[in-house]
Amino acid sequence: GAVVSQHPSWVICKSGTSVKIECRSLDFQATTMFWYRQFPKQSLMLMATSNEGSKATYEQGVEKDKFLINHASLTLSTLTVTSAHPEDSSFYICSASPQSFSSGNTIYFGEGSWLTVV
Amino acid sequence: KQEVTQIPAALSVPEGENLVLNCSFTDSAIYNLQWFRQDPGKGLTSLLLIQSSQREQTSGRLNASLDKSSGRSTLYIAASQPGDSATYLCAVRPRRGSTLGRLYFGRGTQLTVWP
């Protein structure tokens, strides 16, 4: 079964509204989670690193005021796309690991969320 | 910066063929390399994980090899089936960099196996 759960799997929202995506680690604690985005026929690109109890670290070119990340507990990180526009339509996916990232342990991915902004 | 390249971008073969998908990466300082499968409209399914100290991993009809020094990995699919049709992604986890735990992905190889 899945060790990282992501919700919702599919979401359609109107342009200008906000949408929240949740990423939960099941049966383990994750101090760090990662959010990726994938445009059609492109690679998955890291958007930001979500750190429990502190601010997220954003990759260059990702608007932190548009993509709000909250990691309020050791099992939950949320990504909120604010004032969504059609160009934000994409596949968003999170990842987490039950152990320290300083080792070579397996990283688990959520099921991903398909966002369509109309 | 780590860059991951996958060749070919797309592949269409008849059922039963043996296939080789290629992945190359620019920085050999990696913890591991992972192959994923992505079905249309779906998330990622991890197929094989090769640690940097390993040369290959096998799971059923899948075999992945890793040549870290040359920055290459191959995914071998034996006796392909229509159900193997999907996009196959290669990802490496770097040992160095400011963000431990992140993966660098290739663009994938879109595989179609027709009956």
Side-chain angles (χ1 to χ4, degrees), chain B residues 6-110:
Chain B
Q6 289 187 246
I7 295 174
L11 188 61
S12 181
V13 300
E15 183 176 8
E17 281 206 2
N18 300 323
L19 311 171
V20 176
L21 308 182
N22 298 292
C23 172
S24 62
F25 47 96
T26 55
D27 188 344
S28 61
I30 62 171
Y31 275 121
N32 54 48
L33 181 145
Q34 201 162 356
W35 283 93
F36 295 88
R37 169 181 173 143
Q38 186 176 30
D39 292 281
K42 303 288 186 180
L44 303 179
T45 300
S46 179
L47 298 174
L48 290 165
L49 171 71
I50 311 176
Q51 301 292 354
S52 61
S53 58
Q54 298 174 324
R55 297 299 296 268
E56 65 177 344
Q57 282 286 332
T58 299
S59 176
R61 294 182 294 108
L62 304 179
N63 176 278
S65 67
L66 173 64
D67 184 344
K68 195 175 64 170
S69 61
S70 67
R72 295 179 183 176
S73 176
T74 59
L75 178 66
Y76 177 82
I77 303 176
S80 59
Q81 303 171 356
D84 295 331
S85 298
T87 296
Y88 291 80
L89 298 171
C90 167
V92 297
R93 182 171 172 188
R95 279 188 178 275
R96 50 189 173 210
S98 59
T99 310
L100 292 176
R102 68 163 298 172
L103 300 184
Y104 286 87
F105 286 85
R107 291 193 176 189
T109 294
Q110 186 174 356

Side-chain angles (χ1 to χ4, degrees), chain A residues 22-87:
Chain A
E22 294 185 346
C23 179
R24 292 182 184 273
S25 56
L26 308 177
D27 300 326
F28 69 90
Q29 295 180 335
T31 56
T32 303
M33 293 183 178
F34 296 91
W35 287 96
Y36 294 82
R37 176 172 57 185
Q38 182 185 36
F39 292 111
K41 299 192 182 299
Q42 300 293 316
S43 299
L44 278 81
M45 298 297 293
L46 182 68
M47 295 177 65
T49 304
S50 174
N51 304 298
E52 187 269 336
S54 64
K55 291 182 179 180
T57 305
Y58 291 83
E59 294 298 298
Q60 190 173 9
V62 178
E63 300 174 60
K64 61 180 181 181
D65 294 330
K66 181 172 183 63
F67 298 98
L68 301 180
I69 292 174
N70 184 278
H71 196 151
S73 78
L74 287 171
T75 58
L76 174 64
S77 174
T78 60
L79 168 66
T80 301
V81 183
T82 63
S83 186
H85 291 285
E87 56 265 32

